Amino acid sequence: MALEALLETTKSFLPDWPGWALDVLLIMTACLLVTMVLTHFYTPDDEKTEDSMNSSNTAKAASARATLHKEFDSFRHKYIAVYLVIMLADWMQGTHMYTLYLSYNVNVSALFLTGFLSGACFAPILGSFVDKFGRKNSCIIYCVLEIIINTLEHSQDFGVLLVGRVLGGVSTNLLFSAFESWMATEHRKRGFPEEWMSRTYSEASIGNGAMAILAGIVSQLLEDQFGHIGPFQGAIALTFLALLLVLPWEENYGEKQDDADHSLSHQFVEGWKTTLSNSHIWRIGMTQALSEGAMYTFVFMWVPTMLSMNPPGGLPTGCVFSAMMMAITIGGMVYPPLQSFFSNNLVSKEKAPELCASFVYFLAAVSMAVPALCLSKGTSVSGTFELVIVSFLVVECCVGLFMPVAGTLRSKYVPDALQGAILNIFRLPLNVVVVSGTYATDVLDAPIVFKLVSGCFLAASLLQGTFLLETKPVVDSKKKD
């Protein structure tokens, strides 16, 4: 009774949204707070082991380790600060781009498809550019492009908007290759232990979810004040801030600058040759394409699916979106202890990321099978609406988990010298899956699309599981330059 009274009192301070939506939001808020407390006090066993080793070492070695920790913390915070700013800007655009184009009365589908096709066309060559001309320089170019793109969004001319979407395909490829390539290479260049990189990926995943939650609030306030273009004006300011934060970074490249041939064509050819000849790399790429392609297809599906179920009181998309972003944040927080559990109880420390990834993709496959079953014609499932909401929250939690685990695996198997090139090659099959999934949402019934999404996650899980069958040790990516 006391709990119910507390819930009712809390709801009285919230907007007049449907009761079920407020319940979801409050439950996810409570789960997030509990997860924050538990992960704050929980130290994975591998970190405890590291601390005990430090205490048994000589005072000089312990001091050196402590200094390295401080340097790593400073480096990590510098990278995460930029990452959070650019992701906040990116989320603010994503939450209002559809409504902005609707207000312009233009062909929304054509604009979105142009962006995807642009990304697919430029992906194979942009990575080589990143490696050749520098990761920091590429991050700067990304920021400049985003400022130009968001400025073009002020125009209602369809041709100008098309140019913006073409540039958007370029900037998206840079976003998901240049920043990560810079971080991974700089991490190793500074001599930080390889296992510490997973902490950076985990914090980035947590921060990404937090920025998505914040973006929903900030973009709505900007829209109320300045109209549909408001969030894009805010994104311009944030991207300019990110540009200022990137300028002090040190530059790093792919191929060493004293190599006999480090031309753009050489970088391009070597990237493709390495990807196709190394089964570890192309399997990682296909796993990423299947899982992220399924994720983007789900993003297109969740709103129309919930609307079709006629939820009582309507669908407050902002409220549900915030709850889903909390699920992503929870996933990022759970990743370090989950991987620690696998490494201490099920497999070796070296195989823990592979097992963790396979488990997360399988869980996502199961969660997407739920709406496929619940929404099938002739199928009667009690509590269908509640089950579908839970399945959506579970798959978003999986997204929060596989963001850091996928980054850890990329850093493990993709060589530093070709990282930019290979990460962009990965985006080619990803864009194919995304375009196919987007098309499927228009021509197929929702249960069939959810079956396809579940199948993609399951295929990713099985493909990732093939790494667990190998007994031969993997050559460290740092040595594959």
Side-chain angles (χ1 to χ4, degrees), residues 20 70 73 101 183 192 236 251 269 274 282 289 293 295 311 313 315 321 328 344 355 365 367 399-400 456 458 465 476:
W20 66 267
K70 290 181 180 179
D73 289 339
Y101 291 160
M183 184 276 293
F192 301 134
I236 291 175
E251 183 62 275
V269 171
T274 303
W282 68 254
M295 176 193 71
L315 175 64
F321 176 81
I328 289 180
N344 290 312
L355 178 59
S367 69
V399 171
C456 285
L458 181 60
D476 194 290

Side-chain angles (χ1 to χ4, degrees), residues 176-448:
F176 292 105
S177 60
F179 290 89
E180 181 178 325
S181 297
W182 180 88
M183 184 276 293
T185 299
E186 197 68 19
H187 178 104
R188 290 171 178 141
K189 192 167 74 173
R190 299 190 182 201
F192 301 134
E194 195 71 13
E195 60 271 16
W196 289 4
M197 199 179 295
S198 64
R199 304 182 198 177
T200 304
Y201 284 119
S202 179
E203 285 192 12
S205 179
I206 295 169
N208 182 47
M211 290 303 100
I213 299 170
L214 181 60
I217 299 171
V218 175
S219 59
Q220 188 60 59
L221 293 173
L222 290 172
E223 182 182 28
D224 294 341
Q225 185 69 29
F226 303 105
H228 293 300
I229 197 63
F232 297 87
Q233 294 172 337
I236 291 175
L238 287 170
T239 307
F240 184 74
L241 173 60
L243 177 60
L244 295 179
L245 293 174
V246 167
L247 290 177
W249 284 6
E250 295 181 14
E251 183 62 275
N252 63 52
Y253 300 85
E255 295 285 353
K256 297 174 182 177
Q257 296 303 292
D258 56 356
D259 285 345
D261 184 3
H262 55 267
S263 64
L264 188 60
S265 60
H266 170 74
Q267 202 75 4
F268 175 81
V269 171
E270 285 301 309
W272 277 97
K273 184 187 299 184
T274 303
T275 300
L276 297 176
S277 63
N278 189 320
S279 70
H280 292 115
I281 294 177
W282 68 254
R283 276 183 287 166
I284 289 292
M286 287 306 301
T287 299
Q288 176 178 309
L290 289 167
S291 59
E292 292 193 23
M295 176 193 71
Y296 285 122
T297 303
F298 164 75
V299 168
F300 283 108
M301 286 294 295
W302 75 267
V303 172
T305 298
M306 295 190 72
L307 285 174
S308 69
M309 301 180 75
N310 296 315
L315 175 64
T317 54
C319 177
V320 178
F321 176 81
S322 294
M324 289 182 173
M325 295 307 101
M326 290 181 191
I328 289 180
T329 306
I330 290 172
M333 291 179 177
V334 169
Y335 169 65
L338 180 64
Q339 180 168 282
S340 178
F341 170 80
F342 285 143
S343 64
N344 290 312
N345 297 279
L346 299 177
V347 293
S348 65
K349 184 177 180 180
E350 290 72 22
K351 290 291 185 181
E354 287 83 351
L355 178 59
C356 187
S358 188
F359 168 77
V360 171
Y361 297 143
F362 179 77
L363 181 60
V366 173
S367 69
M368 288 293 91
V370 171
L373 174 64
C374 292
L375 300 175
S376 296
K377 295 179 179 179
T379 302
S380 178
V381 181
S382 60
T384 295
F385 185 62
E386 291 79 5
L387 285 173
V388 170
I389 293 175
V390 171
S391 71
F392 286 0
L393 293 172
V394 170
V395 79
E396 291 288 14
C397 185
C398 291
V399 171
L401 276 164
F402 70 63
M403 286 174 64
V405 74
T408 300
L409 289 171
R410 287 193 296 268
S411 68
K412 180 178 180 179
Y413 291 102
V414 178
D416 282 348
L418 300 168
Q419 193 163 74
I422 292 174
L423 291 188
N424 272 280
I425 290 172
F426 287 174
R427 296 197 65 79
L428 183 58
L430 169 60
N431 278 289
V432 171
V433 176
V434 171
V435 171
S436 301
T438 305
Y439 177 75
T441 61
D442 290 332
V443 299
L444 299 176
D445 293 335
I448 298 177

